Structures are given as C-alpha cells and as structure tokens.
Amino acid sequence: MISPAVFIPAAEAQGFIIPIGDIVLDQVFRFISQHDREELGLSYIEINLSVAQCMEKSLPDKIRTLQQKYNVDPSKVNLEITETTFENINEIMVENVDKLIKMGYSFSLDDYGTGYSNIQRVNHIPIKIVKIDKSMIDETATGNGKIILEHTVRMMKSIGKELVAEGVESKSDATMLKELCCDYIQGFYYSRPLSATEFVSFLRQQNKFES
C-alpha cells in the first residue's frame, strides 16, 4: 500500500493524474450503478478531483458520458476540490464547476485549514460542504487550537455550509466534534480505507448493528 500523500504528487509531476482520475470516476459511477444506495445507507459518494482535472475543458463531458453510461443520478455524487484548487483558479475551472452544478452535481471543499483559508472565499464559491482538515483537529490538543476550531465551525454554520471533520482517530476527538455540532465525522476512528467489497460489507454490518 502506498499513501496518497506519496503517489498523488508523483502522479501529478509525471502527468498521470488525469488518466488515474478517469479510472476513479469510471469505477465510482460503476459502483453506484451496481448497488442500492438506500440499502447501504448512503446519501451520496464523494469523488476527489485534482487541480489538473478541474482545469480540463472536457471534464463536464466526461462526467456526463459516465452518468449516461451507468444511469446515475447526479445527486448521488459529490465532487471534492481542495483549497489549492482555488489558488490556481482560471476561466476553464469556473466554467467546469458552473456546468457541473447545472447538471445537478454538488461540490465540497476539501482540506480546509491547510492553505490560505479565507472565509470570504468560501462564502463566494459554490460549495455545499466544507471539510476541516485533520491538522486543525490535531491542533486542538495544544494552545488556542480548540478556540480556532470552535470559531471555524461557528462561521461555516453561519453562512450555511455543512461541515465534515476529517482525520478523526480517537473517541475524545469524535465526542468533541459532536459537541461542536459538526454535521459529519470521518477518520480511522470509524474505519480505515477499504476496498469496494469490504466497504459494502462494512456498511451492511453497521446498518445491521444500528437497526
């Protein structure tokens, strides 16, 4: 196993990130078409888009082709873009995001807190969900980290964004984030990355346990 922190920068540097992204898009759309979303308890599945993909003029057409090929409802897919994407924003990127939103796709902002985090920028970009980076969660253990996180959650809620806390690894962090009213929590505390087959089994087991 190779960490995404290792292979993604390498793929970007070697020009492989778009072909890899195309494979991921196809596999996720296929997965959605093969499984009953409601049975698994899934509202939607998120797909990370690289900066290079966002700047690819054919991106909306690629996604429309997959949508038609696998007969997938756009509301079942949420597209993730990182803060650094908006540091490289250009006309094609804006046009792609606009087209995909009009097609029925929603967007989330990934890794909030790692780049030049700006509440005004978040307020003016067409995203539904903000994902708070693990580094902000880790900072709550020292100094003013918890105060910063509390203010971040409050500000995001005040402008109508849904919040996901990323990289949660302990019960204490999960409890703290629930108390702060984060909408969603994800991380190793709940599960490590899984293959598609393992993911389906995990969801069915969790649904059985919760029922």
Side-chain angles (χ1 to χ4, degrees), residues 14-149:
Q14 297 298 321
F16 295 136
I17 198 65
I18 288 179
I20 290 172
D22 289 346
I23 292 170
V24 171
L25 285 168
D26 187 86
Q27 289 184 346
V28 174
F29 274 79
R30 184 190 302 124
F31 177 90
I32 294 171
S33 72
Q34 291 174 340
H35 296 89
D36 186 325
R37 178 174 56 100
E38 292 185 2
E39 179 204 353
L40 296 178
L42 290 173
S43 298
Y44 55 84
I45 291 183
E46 295 193 332
I47 306 175
N48 289 89
L49 295 177
S50 69
V51 174
Q53 284 177 289
C54 291
M55 295 173 68
E56 190 183 19
K57 200 171 181 65
S58 62
L59 178 65
D61 289 333
K62 282 184 177 180
I63 291 178
R64 183 181 289 107
T65 298
L66 291 171
Q67 173 186 321
Q68 294 170 347
K69 176 181 178 180
Y70 292 112
N71 193 29
V72 168
D73 181 346
S75 68
K76 296 181 180 180
V77 177
N78 183 72
L79 302 169
E80 283 190 24
I81 47 181
T82 64
E83 272 201 289
T84 51
T85 299
F86 287 97
E87 293 168 9
N88 297 278
I89 199 160
N90 64 15
E91 186 177 337
I92 293 175
M93 194 181 297
V94 172
E95 188 175 310
N96 282 345
V97 171
D98 184 57
K99 283 182 179 178
L100 287 163
I101 288 175
K102 287 178 179 176
M103 287 164 59
Y105 294 92
S106 59
F107 280 83
S108 61
L109 181 66
D110 197 14
D111 300 335
Y112 182 83
T114 58
Y116 181 60
S117 303
N118 186 315
I119 190 71
Q120 287 185 320
R121 179 197 291 169
V122 172
N123 191 37
H124 287 94
I125 55 180
I127 55 171
K128 181 176 75 171
I129 300 168
V130 174
K131 305 188 77 172
I132 298 172
D133 189 72
K134 172 178 165 52
S135 60
M136 288 191 72
I137 313 300
D138 293 342
E139 284 293 318
T140 60
T142 58
N144 294 320
K146 187 172 182 181
I147 296 172
I148 293 171
L149 179 61

Side-chain angles (χ1 to χ4, degrees), residues 141-156:
T142 58
N144 294 320
K146 187 172 182 181
I147 296 172
I148 293 171
L149 179 61
E150 289 173 350
H151 282 290
T152 299
V153 171
R154 194 175 302 119
M155 284 191 299
M156 292 299 174

